Every structure is written in C-alpha cells, then in structure tokens.
Amino acid sequence: HQEKNRILIGVSQCSDDEWRTQMNKEIAREALFYPGVTVEIRSAHDDNQKQIADIEYFMDEGADLIVVAPNEAEAIAPVIEKAYDRGIPVVLVDRKIDSDHYTAYIGADNYDMGHQIGTYIANRLHGKGNIVELTGLKGSTPARDRHRGLIDALADEPGIRIVATADAGWFQQSAERAFDSILARQPLIDLVFAHNDRMASGAHEAAVREGRADEMLFVGVDALSGKGLGVNLVTDSILDATFIYPTGGDRVVQVAMNILEGRDYPRETLLSTALVNRQNARIMQMQTAHISTLDEKIERLNSQLDAFLLRYSAQRMFLYACIVI
Ligand code: FRU
C-alpha cells in the first residue's frame, strides 16, 4: 500500500460460504461509492492461525482500518488487541471477542436471536416437546450467545426439554454426522434447532436417511435466498422456519468510512432479525429477486462509468499531445 492518499481497508473473514460471499459482495459494492478506497478481503477458512496471519498481513501492509469476523473469540483476541493498540481502527462484524479493544461492532444481537428462537419454538410446540440443539463452533460468540438466549427463553417452559446438544462447528456434514448418532439414541424428537440453515439441512438429511424426517420440525438461522439456501428450504417444506441473520456489508463500509473520515459513528450497530416461515417466504423470494436486479444495474452502471472515464482520459491525453506538438 505505497500510494499516498489511498485508503486501504483490510477485511479478515473467518470462513468462506454463501453468507460471507453475500457480505463480501455488499462490502465491495458499497466501497465503489468512496473513490480512493481499496478493499482487500481475505478468508481464514475457519483456521485461527490463518486468521492471525491475515490480520498481521494487513498490519504489515499499512491498512488504515481492519474489519474482522473473529473465528473464535479467545484465539483471535490478542492479534485484534495488537492492531487496535497500535492505533489501527478495528471494526468487528458478526462475531465478537471478550475484550473492549475494538473500535466498533456491526451485526445482530445473537443472544436476542437465540431468545426469540426459543420463544418461537415454545409457541410452535404449544409448550410441550423434545428438542435437539445443534450449535455452531463453541468458541465463536454467535454459537455461545444463541445457545444462552435459547436456554434463557426455555427456562420458563417446563414442558420443553432439550434432549441433546452437539457442536457441529457451523458445517453441514458435521451436523449430519452428529445428528445421525443423536437419532440412534433419541426415539422422540419433536424439533431440531440448528444454529444455521446449513446444519439444519444436514440434520434433515440424516433424518431422511433414517425415515424419520416427518416426525420432527427443523429450524435454522441465516435465511439466505438462492438455490438450496434457507428461504428456499422453507418454501420446499424442509425447514419449518429460519431467522434472518443480516449480512449488512454496506453498513460495515459506511461505519468504517465514518471512522476514517472523523465523523460520528455508533460503537454498536445492531442489525435486527426476523422470522421467515411458510407465511412470508414467498414474499421474501420476490423481494430479493427484485433487489438483485437492482444490484446488477448498479454494477452495470459502474462498469459503464469506468469505460467512459477511460475514454475521457485517453481523449485528454490526445488533446494534450496535440497542444504540445
Ligand atoms: C457463516 C456463518 C453463518 C452463521 C454465522 C455465525 O460463516 O457460519 O451460517 O450464522 O457464520 O457467525
């Protein structure tokens, strides 16, 4: 990052999947509105050591601000503190650390989400039933907070029993395996709550294999649109419901720019969730289809603008050459 007057924003993602692809797209698109800003995105592929190296790399490159979704709270905290203590603003997204050495946080309140989901489950089962919880990676704050929220919401529901909990690390295949062995042990399961849609879908596949999918409901989190993703899983009656986990990449860039340009910014930007079930999933699909055509138009306009600017600067060069000659 040699050039003066250029701003470099480093983005360190913990993982690589549709949810993060959507957030990364939003970040890149929003950054187009800030000339002179370069965004570099790196993925740690769920590896703490790789993420530490990525953040070190951004420090070495002289990044002006670092955005981090910490894979695991404890492991990633020291390198975040190091960057922050050096005076580099750090914006946490989606996942947090147990330290206040960061500049701002943008994402949902995962405790509140877990609580809302617990309340939904209790109502859906009319206050009575056996549930299985498949958690995300235990060391990551969304898994920890969604779990705590769920437990607190169910504390007033004596008729609801959590008969099994397993850590499936946010992955579909781990969820499939974990749920396979839970199915073998539990004859009565009314509902499976997985901390994301991918794991819910893995659990569903295990239940289908055992011929037990119709005995229970599946609830997930994320509610992404697209083939095989959360909202479609609801319209296909594979999931009973899912809860929106907003990606908010555009907000991330806005907050980052407010920090960099010395404007006011909130320390916590909380993005809200909403229930997606068979009543509203169709509407969601229609709305997102519309939004993605608008997104494509923005991208088309941007590349036209680039082409015009290129032509304009070539003409200026030509004119300048004529005058000099
Ligand atoms: C994507 C993801 C989501 C989940 C979030 C939690 O990488 O696994 O499915 O909601 O991370 O941080």
Side-chain angles (χ1 to χ4, degrees), residues 222-288:
D222 283 347
L224 290 171
S225 294
K227 206 163 164 273
L229 302 175
V231 177
N232 288 18
L233 294 174
V234 171
T235 53
D236 292 347
S237 302
I238 289 169
L239 296 188
D240 167 64
T242 175
F243 286 76
I244 295 176
Y245 190 50
T247 42
D250 46 347
R251 298 287 288 275
V252 173
V253 174
Q254 287 158 15
V255 170
M257 292 313 295
N258 285 340
I259 294 169
L260 286 168
E261 292 177 343
R263 288 185 292 270
D264 283 346
Y265 63 90
R267 181 154 153 90
E268 306 260 313
T269 301
L270 292 182
L271 309 173
S272 51
T273 184
L275 165 71
V276 178
N277 63 4
R278 55 187 313 153
Q279 263 80 53
N280 61 5
R282 264 306 286 150
I283 300 172
M284 267 282 282
Q285 283 173 331
M286 286 164 63
Q287 297 287 355
T288 16

Side-chain angles (χ1 to χ4, degrees), residues 14-17 19-20 46 94-95 110 140 142-143 146 169-170 195-198 221-222 245:
C14 49
S15 190
D16 208 5
D17 47 54
W19 190 85
R20 295 200 188 267
D46 310 282
D94 135 63
R95 302 186 187 180
N110 280 292
S140 68
R146 286 173 199 178
W170 303 117
H195 286 194
N196 69 13
D197 294 336
R198 240 177 316 154
V221 175
D222 283 347
Y245 190 50

Side-chain angles (χ1 to χ4, degrees), residues 22-304:
Q22 179 168 322
M23 186 201 257
N24 292 346
K25 262 197 210 154
E26 291 160 353
I27 289 175
R29 198 180 304 120
E30 186 68 18
L32 296 175
F33 293 95
Y34 299 91
V37 172
T38 307
V39 177
E40 183 176 345
I41 302 176
R42 301 200 140 208
S43 169
H45 304 289
D46 310 282
D47 178 340
N48 292 332
Q49 291 315 311
K50 167 81 166 78
Q51 185 158 39
I52 292 167
D54 286 345
I55 296 169
E56 294 276 2
Y57 163 85
F58 286 134
M59 283 193 261
D60 293 344
E61 287 298 291
D64 298 285
L65 182 145
I66 305 177
V67 174
V68 188
N71 188 49
E72 290 191 285
E74 227 183 286
I76 308 302
V79 68
I80 289 177
E81 292 185 333
K82 182 171 162 190
Y84 179 82
D85 294 344
R86 273 198 197 168
I88 305 169
V90 177
V91 176
L92 299 181
V93 294
D94 135 63
R95 302 186 187 180
K96 294 184 133 181
I97 51 172
D98 298 316
S99 154
D100 57 6
H101 290 229
Y102 63 87
T103 315
Y105 169 76
I106 301 160
D109 177 338
N110 280 292
Y111 173 84
D112 179 62
M113 285 189 73
H115 204 279
Q116 286 192 41
I117 294 166
T119 306
Y120 171 80
I121 290 171
N123 288 330
R124 187 73 177 88
L125 298 179
H126 306 292
K128 199 175 167 308
N130 291 343
I131 71 172
V132 170
E133 183 191 17
L134 296 174
T135 74
L137 184 66
K138 277 270 163 62
S140 68
T141 57
R144 191 180 72 190
D145 295 346
R146 286 173 199 178
H147 173 73
R148 277 199 304 123
L150 178 82
I151 298 297
D152 287 355
L154 296 180
D156 316 327
E157 298 288 343
I160 308 275
R161 270 201 340 134
I162 302 183
V163 293
T165 302
D167 178 350
W170 303 117
F171 300 120
Q172 170 144 0
Q173 286 202 334
S174 320
E176 208 173 316
R177 254 180 279 124
F179 195 56
D180 223 21
S181 70
I182 292 171
L183 279 170
R185 283 180 280 129
Q186 298 294 339
L188 289 175
I189 301 170
D190 299 296
L191 187 146
V192 182
F193 164 45
H195 286 194
N196 69 13
D197 294 336
R198 240 177 316 154
M199 296 189 292
S201 159
H204 179 266
E205 267 165 40
V208 168
R209 256 203 322 271
E210 295 301 313
R212 290 179 59 186
D214 294 339
E215 294 170 20
M216 58 196 84
L217 302 172
F218 295 84
V219 173
V221 175
D222 283 347
L224 290 171
S225 294
K227 206 163 164 273
L229 302 175
V231 177
N232 288 18
L233 294 174
V234 171
T235 53
D236 292 347
S237 302
I238 289 169
L239 296 188
D240 167 64
T242 175
F243 286 76
I244 295 176
Y245 190 50
T247 42
D250 46 347
R251 298 287 288 275
V252 173
V253 174
Q254 287 158 15
V255 170
M257 292 313 295
N258 285 340
I259 294 169
L260 286 168
E261 292 177 343
R263 288 185 292 270
D264 283 346
Y265 63 90
R267 181 154 153 90
E268 306 260 313
T269 301
L270 292 182
L271 309 173
S272 51
T273 184
L275 165 71
V276 178
N277 63 4
R278 55 187 313 153
Q279 263 80 53
N280 61 5
R282 264 306 286 150
I283 300 172
M284 267 282 282
Q285 283 173 331
M286 286 164 63
Q287 297 287 355
T288 16
H290 184 216
I291 291 169
S292 60
T293 61
L294 296 178
D295 283 344
E296 279 159 24
K297 282 188 184 168
I298 292 175
E299 267 148 32
R300 209 147 11 104
L301 270 178
N302 179 61
S303 51
Q304 280 176 5

